[in-house]
């Protein structure tokens, strides 16, 4: 949350050509601003309409998750992870469970693994739908937001039936999942997949083909693969520059290696490419869902064999998985006790946001919101 | 302009689509059976094992026990039981560890009040909160 | 002691191999005096060159073992073949040109003892690598066993190895044991030796004599999944006895990082253990990993460029999906970091994670790198003093380090000289203290 405006100096100069005196000014965006999708503050120095410099200020939502985790046992930490990336809590649940399971060598029953993959992919779709709706709202289109939330609501309802919550699921446990699928739930998910496949076509008709929309986004917020890697970007931010990298494919975890799916990439590296990739990812997630639902084991355990008190062996681990926003990682240093000595989450939003000042430099002020939106940040995750 | 027109077409088609909104405050919104709402507490079932208080990630449960009034019987019975709903995150862990299902979730979720003090619920209040109790725990 | 006679279970053999390897490692470690890492394996009397190596090692945490291994690795190149990919062939090759005497080892339930005597001709170089990996096939073990005998007992394994090597011989032996290691490994270990195995307990005696000019590399890989073959290989040049029994323990062992022992001592090394025998190792759960060659390569490149002293330790972190892990000396970190990114063969261009850890006696900064070119992971740790924690900034190498270093500074108080604007990022500027430090006391209780 710290900020130091002294770092930004303002110039004023007199232009002989126009006979006008121009002055640079500071514009404060946020922390309470609809386009920042949370409490994010951006101080920009503008000269006319051109952004000269920008200073992101974060930390307004810092709750000290990592500090809190040191005083909790592993099961108790899981509900806290729900609140980091609250748009895809399932992947956060998974990353901590996966880290502990990796340390302890716990085997997960097949049915639990499938349930995990199904909810993670549904959550990915839900997260992308929120992004899709709000991003278009940012750049001036109202109706897509309503459609996106209508369909996302179906996913939340399904989650509500499964685990009793709409956002903070607390669904996974070390070694498995808390709830088995209720009767008929799998069929409902299948229906939803069918429904969304159809709707995706409509989304494309509604927005993707729109000439105004394309012209608005093409070519802004551009960067290349080298920059993306240098800035530790991940997820769609990275793939939009042509780097084909998806942890589900390249370092498979859970049962992802059983499914066929593509990793969509683009080479333009601009906002439009990121839009297209996220839409393509929804379709790929639907593909994974279809296969996962088709191969879903008829019956089986949902909890593996787990010691009563979870004490990972002394040592440290770092695992990373693919969240909707990129690469989410969990580091645990354990001293053999039931509470972590140190826990650290590698949060994709936090790392992806770093490149913002570079992208904004020299851009028109009207592109600011479009570029910020295309990064797809969740402030709960940025600030942890 | 073709893409633009196609988009408009989809929007207009929604005029005849079925409504998906709810009249929520006027018509109660039914929650599915597993929904995690405000807890119901049954004092007669509680064996004062303290597991719920210990598992709570936010330490919002406080309880005390007293010796069993019937000297013939061993163990304790519950004396006070408070949940602070200012910080309770309804994570479901207390109901998960309870060996006797003394504390269970209900489908009630409306907690809005005018004062934060009212969010401090005691044993009697939780006992009376006995509607829509969740069956599966 | 014929091979046919002995039918050790894979686990037993693997275990034995692992233990042997541990002993070697411990010995080496003692010799080199590693940095004090708490709870490192204890090494009792040992110096490979003296030919006497007796070391008792207790399984420590994987990290510790791993670090120990790393330290030991100095001159010794132990090829720990991890995983399935480690073929036993290596071990066999190691034995090439050498004769190995292996004495069978007796194995008792609860523990395994391995005695290995190896004589190597003068010029012989023997490298024995015993690697235990979950996936390691037993073949590896056999090779390891060359010139050695291993005894394994159920539940526990002790390995005594006697190795005599000709004067000039250099022997490297790495023994790794993993829980799941199948018995095949053990058998392989016994290669070049004789092994007796009894149901419930196996005895293996192997005598291996290595020819003078021979270079023997024995890789014994024992892993949880490791097939028994590994054990056999491990036994090369030594004897390994393994008894079925504590499979679980082995499995845990797997978790433990793979140990690298330049056992030169071992097999080949004329090593006579003090008391006339080689190394005693107890419980050694180390698994050579599929990433071991990769780690060796990185270590080699860095060593060539900066000398061996910049690497304080290198090991495979079994707990973190077998990621190769380096501990780099603080003063050299910035140069090494630049090298990691800019060297063509390394090109770790992606900084995935950066954070600090407070261990109360020291601070550490943990980096996780990825190379998109080589598709390889690498973890690096840099230690620093706790009073004035300072680690060179890598922001000018990876731009992504910018906010991560600020966060580490904010929450742990580690300074990153070279960072362009090292300010707090999560907490307000006027915040007192660094919350993630273990001795942090909130300045204002109300907050």
């Amino acid at each position: 949350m710290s900020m130091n405006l002294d770092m930004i100096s303002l110039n004023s100069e007199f232009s002989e050509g126009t006979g006008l005196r121009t002055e640079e000014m500071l514009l404060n965006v946020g922390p309470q601003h609809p386009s920042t999708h949370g409490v994010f503050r951006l101080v920009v120095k503008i000269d006319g309409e051109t952004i000269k410099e920008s200073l992101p200020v974060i930390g307004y939502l810092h709750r000290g998750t990592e500090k809190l985790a040191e005083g909790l046992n592993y099961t108790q930490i899981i509900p806290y992870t729900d609140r980091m990336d609250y748009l895809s809590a399932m992947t956060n649940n998974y990353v901590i469970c996966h880290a502990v399971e990796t340390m302890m060598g716990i085997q997960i029953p097949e049915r639990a693994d499938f349930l995990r993959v199904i909810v993670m992919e549904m959550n990915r779709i839900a997260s992308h739908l929120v992004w899709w709706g709000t991003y278009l709202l940012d750049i001036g289109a109202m109706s897509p937001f309503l459609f996106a939330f209508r369909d996302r609501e179906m996913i939340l309802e399904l989650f509500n039936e499964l685990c009793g919550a709409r956002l903070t699921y607390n669904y996974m446990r070390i070694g498995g999942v808390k709830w088995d699928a209720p009767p008929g739930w799998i069929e409902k998910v299948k229906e939803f997949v069918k429904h969304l496949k159809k709707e995706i076509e409509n989304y494309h008709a509604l927005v993707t083909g729109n000439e105004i929309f394309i012209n608005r986004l093409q070519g802004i917020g551009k960067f290349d693969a080298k920059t993306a890697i240098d800035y530790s970007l991940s997820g769609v931010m990275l793939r939009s520059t042509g780097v084909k990298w998806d942890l589900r494919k390249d370092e498979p975890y859970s049962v992802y290696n059983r499914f066929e799916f593509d990793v969509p990439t683009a080479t333009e590296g601009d906002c439009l490419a990121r839009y297209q990739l996220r839409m393509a990812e929804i379709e790929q997630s639907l593909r994974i869902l279809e296969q996962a639902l088709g191969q879903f084991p008829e019956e089986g355990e949902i909890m593996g064999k787990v010691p009563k008190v979870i004490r990972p062996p002394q040592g440290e681990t770092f695992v990373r998985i693919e969240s909707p926003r990129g690469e989410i990682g969990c580091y645990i240093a354990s001293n053999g006790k039931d509470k972590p000595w140190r826990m650290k989450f590698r949060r994709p939003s936090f790392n992806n946001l770093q490149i913002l000042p570079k992208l904004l430099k020299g851009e028109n002020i009207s592109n600011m919101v479009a570029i910020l939106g295309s990064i797809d940040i969740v402030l709960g995750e940025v600030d942890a | 302009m073709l893409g633009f027109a196609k988009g408009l077409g989809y929007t207009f088609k929604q005029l005849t689509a079925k409504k998906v909104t709810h009249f929520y405050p006027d018509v109660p919104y039914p929650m599915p059976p597993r929904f995690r709402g405000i807890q119901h507490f049954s004092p007669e079932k509680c064996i004062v094992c303290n597991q719920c208080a210990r598992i709570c990630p936010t330490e919002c449960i406080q309880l005390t026990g007293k010796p069993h009034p019937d000297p013939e019987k061993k163990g304790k019975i519950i004396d006070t039981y408070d949940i602070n709903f200012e910080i309770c995150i309804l994570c479901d862990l207390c109901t998960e560890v309870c060996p006797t299902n003394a504390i269970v979730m209900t489908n009630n979720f409306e907690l809005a009040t005018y004062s934060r003090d009212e969010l401090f619920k005691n044993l009697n209040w939780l006992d009376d909160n006995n509607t829509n109790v969740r069956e599966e725990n | 002691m014929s091979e046919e006679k002995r039918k050790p279970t894979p686990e037993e053999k693997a275990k034995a191999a692992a233990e042997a390897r541990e002993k070697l490692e411990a010995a080496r470690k003692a010799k080199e005096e590693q940095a004090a890492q708490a709870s490192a394996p204890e090494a009792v009397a040992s110096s490979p060159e003296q030919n006497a190596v007796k070391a008792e090692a207790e399984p420590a945490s994987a990290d510790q073992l791993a670090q120990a291994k790393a330290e030991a690795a100095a001159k010794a190149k132990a090829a720990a073949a991890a995983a399935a990919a480690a073929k036993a062939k290596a071990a066999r090759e190691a034995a090439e040109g050498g004769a190995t005497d292996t004495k069978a080892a007796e194995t008792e339930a609860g523990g395994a003892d391995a005695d290995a005597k190896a004589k190597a001709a003068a010029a012989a170089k023997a490298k024995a690598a015993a690697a235990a990996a979950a996936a390691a096939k037993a073949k590896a073990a056999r090779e390891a066993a060359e010139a050695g005998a291993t005894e394994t007992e159920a539940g526990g394994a002790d390995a005594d190895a006697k190795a005599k090597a000709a004067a000039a011989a250099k022997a490297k032996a790495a023994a790794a044991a993993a829980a799941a290691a199948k018995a095949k490994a053990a058998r392989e270990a016994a290669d070049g030796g004789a092994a007796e195995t009894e149901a419930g307990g196996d005895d293996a005696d192997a005598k291996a004599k290595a020819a003078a000019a021979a270079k023997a590399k024995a890789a014994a890989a024992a892993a949880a999944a490791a097939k028994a073959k590994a054990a056999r290989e491990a036994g090369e040049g030594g004897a390994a006895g393994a008894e079925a029994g504590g499979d679980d323990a082995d499995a845990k062992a797997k978790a433990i990082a793979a140990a690298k022992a330049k056992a030169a001592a071992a097999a080949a090394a004329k090593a006579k253990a003090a008391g006339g025998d080689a190394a005693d190792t107890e419980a050694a759960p180390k698994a050579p990993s599929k990433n071991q060659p990769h780690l060796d390569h990185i270590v080699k490149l860095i060593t060539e460029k900066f000398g061996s002293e910049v690497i304080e330790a290198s090991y495979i972190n079994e707990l973190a999906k077998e990621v190769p892990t380096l501990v780099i000396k603080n003063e050299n970190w910035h140069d090494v970091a630049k090298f990691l990114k800019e060297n063509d063969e390394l090109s770790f261009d992606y900084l995935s994670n950066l954070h600090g850890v407070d261990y109360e006696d020291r601070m550490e900064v943990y980096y996780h790198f990825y190379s998109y070119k080589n598709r390889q992971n690498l973890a690096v740790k840099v230690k620093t003093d706790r009073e004035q924690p300072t680690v060179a900034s890598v922001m000018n190498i990876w731009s992504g380090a910018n906010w991560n270093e600020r966060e580490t500074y904010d929450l742990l108080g580690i300074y990153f000289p070279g960072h362009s604007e090292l300010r707090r990022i999560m907490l307000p500027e006027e915040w007192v203290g660094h919350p993630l430090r273990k001795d942090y006391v909130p300045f204002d209780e109300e907050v």
Side-chain angles (χ1 to χ4, degrees):
Chain A
M1 205 190 310
S2 95
M3 57 164 291
N4 182 3
L5 288 183
D6 297 343
M7 294 178 58
I8 300 181
S9 59
L10 297 177
N11 298 323
S12 66
E13 60 185 35
F14 181 75
S15 165
E16 292 290 340
T18 58
L20 291 176
R21 168 170 292 282
T22 58
E23 246 177 61
E24 291 175 337
M25 64 173 282
L26 285 185
L27 181 67
N28 200 23
V29 184
Q32 308 293 343
H33 189 279
S35 79
T36 58
H37 303 273
V39 278
F40 170 61
R41 180 179 181 190
L42 191 62
V43 182
V44 290
K45 180 170 83 171
I46 48 178
D47 180 9
E49 284 195 326
T50 310
I51 298 174
K52 291 283 189 190
E53 202 177 337
S54 61
L55 181 70
V57 183
I58 63 171
Y60 292 95
L61 201 55
H62 180 62
R63 293 146 296 182
T65 307
E66 289 163 8
K67 180 72 179 173
L68 288 167
E70 289 174 9
L72 300 168
N73 69 35
Y74 291 95
T75 310
Q76 291 175 318
I77 299 169
I78 297 173
Y80 280 91
T81 63
D82 287 337
R83 287 153 178 81
M84 282 195 318
D85 182 353
Y86 40 75
L87 291 185
S88 69
M90 288 295 185
T91 43
N92 292 5
N93 276 192
Y94 184 79
V95 75
I96 178 174
C97 292
H98 186 48
V100 178
E101 285 154 7
T102 305
M103 276 188 116
M104 301 179 69
I106 295 171
Q107 294 298 318
I108 317 301
E110 192 184 32
R111 191 178 170 93
D113 249 342
F114 270 88
L115 278 169
R116 284 177 171 193
V117 166
I118 289 169
V119 295
M120 277 196 287
E121 290 309 317
M122 287 168 71
N123 217 171
R124 191 183 311 275
I125 293 170
S127 171
H128 282 339
L129 285 177
V130 173
W131 173 83
W132 186 74
T134 55
Y135 184 54
L136 291 166
L137 199 59
D138 284 349
I139 61 174
M142 178 72 192
S143 53
F145 173 79
L146 300 172
F147 296 125
F149 271 61
R150 177 197 64 191
D151 291 336
R152 170 179 179 254
E153 184 68 18
M154 296 177 183
I155 299 180
L156 298 192
E157 279 302 308
L158 287 167
F159 282 156
N160 202 358
E161 271 179 52
L162 179 69
C163 59
R166 292 159 52 87
L167 272 183
T168 51
Y169 311 113
N170 191 18
Y171 177 56
M172 297 182 196
R173 295 287 184 275
I174 315 288
V177 295
K178 159 124 171 122
W179 298 100
D180 201 350
W185 190 78
I186 293 290
E187 278 64 41
K188 284 186 191 168
V189 179
K190 281 179 179 162
E191 270 169 39
F192 166 76
V193 170
K194 267 187 218 145
H195 166 79
L196 193 61
K197 276 190 118 159
K198 218 167 50 204
E199 284 300 319
I200 286 284
E201 298 304 316
N202 291 330
Y203 289 177
H204 284 309
L206 185 64
V207 176
T208 314
N210 189 313
E211 294 84 357
I212 302 169
F213 167 78
I214 293 173
N215 289 334
R216 177 78 183 80
L217 292 186
Q218 212 159 28
I220 65 167
K222 232 172 134 88
F223 52 90
D224 60 10
K226 196 159 175 290
T227 313
I229 290 173
D230 186 40
Y231 273 87
S232 299
L233 305 188
S234 55
V236 168
M237 291 286 279
L238 182 61
R239 290 192 284 271
S240 71
T241 62
V243 181
K244 194 165 184 168
W245 176 249
D246 188 320
L247 288 161
R248 290 175 293 171
K249 199 91 176 171
D250 294 286
E251 291 181 359
Y253 48 93
S254 195
V255 289
Y256 275 113
N257 50 4
R258 301 194 197 180
F259 309 127
E260 273 181 29
F261 61 98
D262 299 328
V263 180
T265 57
T267 51
E268 293 85 0
D270 58 2
C271 290
L272 184 63
R274 294 195 276 280
Y275 169 88
Q276 287 162 338
L277 286 190
R278 289 200 175 94
M279 295 305 279
E281 276 195 7
I282 296 180
E283 289 169 34
Q284 294 305 323
S285 286
L286 288 172
R287 259 180 88 183
I288 296 174
L289 269 180
E290 274 183 334
Q291 296 172 61
L293 292 166
Q295 301 173 23
F296 189 68
E298 286 295 322
E299 51 191 17
E301 292 289 312
I302 55 163
M303 275 298 280
K305 283 187 182 164
V306 181
K308 200 159 182 207
V309 180
I310 290 157
R311 289 194 186 91
Q314 187 167 353
E316 53 193 351
T317 191
F318 177 68
V319 299
R320 41 190 198 150
I321 65 164
E322 192 75 25
S323 98
R325 263 154 281 282
E327 182 180 306
I328 186 168
C330 179
Y331 168 92
I332 297 173
S334 164
N335 57 350
K337 304 266 173 56
D338 60 343
K339 294 172 183 172
W341 177 259
R342 168 88 163 93
M343 178 168 269
K344 155 85 185 180
F345 291 99
R346 188 251 191 237
R347 291 111 52 199
S349 296
F350 178 76
N351 284 281
N352 286 352
L353 190 57
Q354 284 188 73
I355 200 174
L356 185 65
K358 182 182 166 67
L359 294 184
L360 289 184
K361 196 163 190 171
E363 283 284 353
N364 196 300
I365 186 83
S366 60
N367 287 340
M368 182 184 74
V369 169
I371 293 172
L372 173 61
S374 76
I375 298 176
D376 188 16
I377 53 168
V378 167
L379 267 300
E381 192 178 56
V382 172
D383 295 342
Chain B
M1 288 303 280
L2 181 65
F4 181 69
K6 264 167 77 181
L8 268 183
Y10 179 65
T11 306
F12 279 122
K13 247 182 9 194
Q14 299 305 312
L15 289 174
T16 58
K18 203 178 139 209
K19 278 190 178 133
V20 293
T21 47
H22 303 277
F23 294 93
Y24 160 60
D26 302 322
V27 181
Y29 187 81
M31 284 297 180
R34 285 178 183 177
F35 183 74
R36 313 200 300 245
I38 307 157
Q39 290 94 333
H40 162 65
F41 181 72
S42 323
E44 63 278 8
K45 287 187 191 164
C46 182
I47 56 172
V48 201
C49 68
N50 249 322
Q51 285 198 60
C52 50
R54 253 181 300 154
I55 195 74
C56 181
T58 61
E59 296 173 10
C60 69
I61 301 179
Q62 263 136 26
L63 60 86
T64 56
K66 61 185 176 190
H68 205 289
D70 184 353
E72 304 276 311
K73 296 194 176 165
K74 284 183 183 175
K76 286 178 162 182
I77 59 163
I78 194 76
D79 189 16
T80 65
Y81 195 95
D82 305 304
I83 299 183
N84 181 0
F85 280 97
E86 276 183 77
I87 54 177
C88 175
I89 56 177
L90 295 168
C91 66
D92 210 8
L93 288 178
C94 51
T95 62
E96 187 174 320
V97 297
C98 184
T100 60
N101 280 350
I103 184 160
V104 290
M105 289 291 183
T106 70
N107 275 10
N108 307 327
F109 57 91
E110 286 151 329
L111 266 171
T113 62
Y114 284 102
S115 161
R116 293 169 62 166
D117 298 339
E118 291 169 38
L119 289 172
F120 204 76
K121 308 293 190 193
N122 62 12
L123 188 146
N124 291 335
W125 193 95
L126 291 168
D127 193 10
D128 292 340
N129 180 34
N130 55 4
T131 54
N132 297 323
V133 172
R134 192 168 77 174
E135 314 221 323
E136 200 180 1
N137 276 293
Chain C
M1 311 249 175
S2 67
E3 281 198 15
E4 298 82 15
K5 198 175 179 182
R6 121 188 116 110
K7 288 180 182 175
T9 68
E11 292 92 0
E12 293 173 346
K13 296 200 171 178
K15 211 185 217 174
E19 288 178 357
R21 187 182 176 182
E22 260 191 350
K23 284 183 179 180
L24 292 175
E25 184 183 352
R28 180 184 191 78
K29 189 178 176 183
K31 176 188 175 184
E32 293 187 1
E33 293 186 0
Q34 327 108 333
Q37 292 245 358
S39 75
E42 294 181 2
V44 179
S46 72
S47 114
E49 291 183 0
Q50 293 177 353
N51 298 339
V53 180
K54 199 173 191 178
E56 291 186 2
E58 294 183 0
S61 72
D63 287 349
Q64 295 170 350
L65 290 177
Q67 288 184 2
K69 168 190 177 180
E71 291 174 0
K75 202 181 187 185
K77 221 186 196 180
K87 306 267 166 116
K89 280 191 176 182
R92 181 172 289 177
E93 292 175 359
E96 268 186 12
T100 56
D101 277 342
T102 57
K103 276 195 175 179
E106 293 183 0
T107 60
E108 299 175 0
D113 296 340
D115 292 341
K117 286 188 179 181
K119 287 188 178 180
K125 220 185 185 181
K127 278 186 181 180
K137 305 280 166 106
K139 280 192 174 183
R142 174 179 289 182
E143 295 173 354
E146 275 187 8
T150 58
E151 293 185 0
T152 59
E153 293 183 1
D158 295 339
D160 292 339
K162 286 188 179 180
K164 287 189 178 181
K170 253 190 180 178
K172 283 185 179 181
K182 304 284 167 101
K184 276 193 176 181
R187 175 175 291 179
E188 293 174 357
D191 238 359
E196 291 186 1
T197 60
E198 296 180 2
D202 294 343
D203 294 341
D205 292 339
K207 287 188 178 180
K209 287 189 179 180
K215 217 185 186 181
K217 270 187 181 179
K227 306 281 167 100
K229 280 191 176 183
R232 174 179 290 182
E233 294 173 356
E236 272 189 10
E243 289 189 3
D247 290 352
D248 291 353
D250 288 348
K252 285 188 178 178
K254 169 191 178 181
I256 295 177
K260 225 183 189 178
K262 176 187 192 175
K270 293 172 172 181
K272 270 191 179 178
D277 283 54
D280 260 327
T281 54
E282 286 185 357
K286 303 271 158 134
S289 148
K290 60 181 190 298
N291 287 329
Q292 186 68 47
H294 176 61
L295 174 62
D296 292 339
H297 185 59
I298 298 171
V299 170
K300 182 168 152 268
L301 286 173
I302 294 176
T303 307
E304 279 171 2
K305 172 96 177 170
F306 298 101
S308 58
E309 66 277 0
V310 302
I311 302 177
E312 292 178 358
S314 67
Y315 57 92
I316 299 288
N317 189 350
E318 292 285 335
L319 293 178
K321 298 188 173 177
E322 301 182 4
V323 60
T325 308
L326 300 176
V327 182
I328 303 287
K329 215 172 188 180
N330 197 324
E331 304 86 73
N332 303 95
W333 167 233
H334 192 267
D335 295 335
V336 175
K338 214 171 168 62
F339 181 70
L340 283 177
K341 182 176 183 185
E342 290 172 2
N343 183 283
D344 277 347
E345 289 181 61
L346 298 173
S347 66
F348 287 102
D349 46 4
Y350 186 73
L351 174 69
S352 171
N353 191 22
L354 186 166
H355 67 264
V357 188
D358 178 7
Y359 281 108
E360 284 190 320
D361 58 334
R362 66 183 191 278
M363 294 269 203
E364 271 181 15
V365 179
Y366 184 98
Y367 303 80
H368 189 97
F369 297 112
Y370 188 77
S371 164
Y372 280 106
K373 189 177 152 204
N374 302 325
R375 304 262 146 176
Q376 268 294 351
N377 287 292
L378 174 71
V380 172
K381 300 206 289 178
V382 179
K383 294 179 186 170
T384 178
D385 170 50
R386 198 164 178 281
E387 299 310 312
Q388 289 290 329
T390 306
V391 176
S393 170
V394 292
M395 180 191 167
N396 54 352
I397 303 172
W398 295 276
S399 305
N402 182 353
W403 283 15
N404 287 292
E405 284 180 353
R406 280 179 66 185
E407 190 189 19
T408 309
Y409 162 74
D410 189 0
L411 302 180
L412 278 155
I414 298 178
Y415 291 90
F416 292 93
H419 193 287
S420 65
E421 46 158 335
L422 198 62
R423 295 180 294 116
R424 287 188 184 271
I425 188 168
M426 292 298 177
L427 304 173
E429 204 66 69
E430 61 274 12
W431 193 269
V432 178
H434 301 284
L436 279 179
R437 292 178 74 119
K438 292 287 178 184
D439 56 1
Y440 173 73
V441 183
F443 178 70
D444 182 357
E445 292 290 347
E446 294 299 311
V447 175

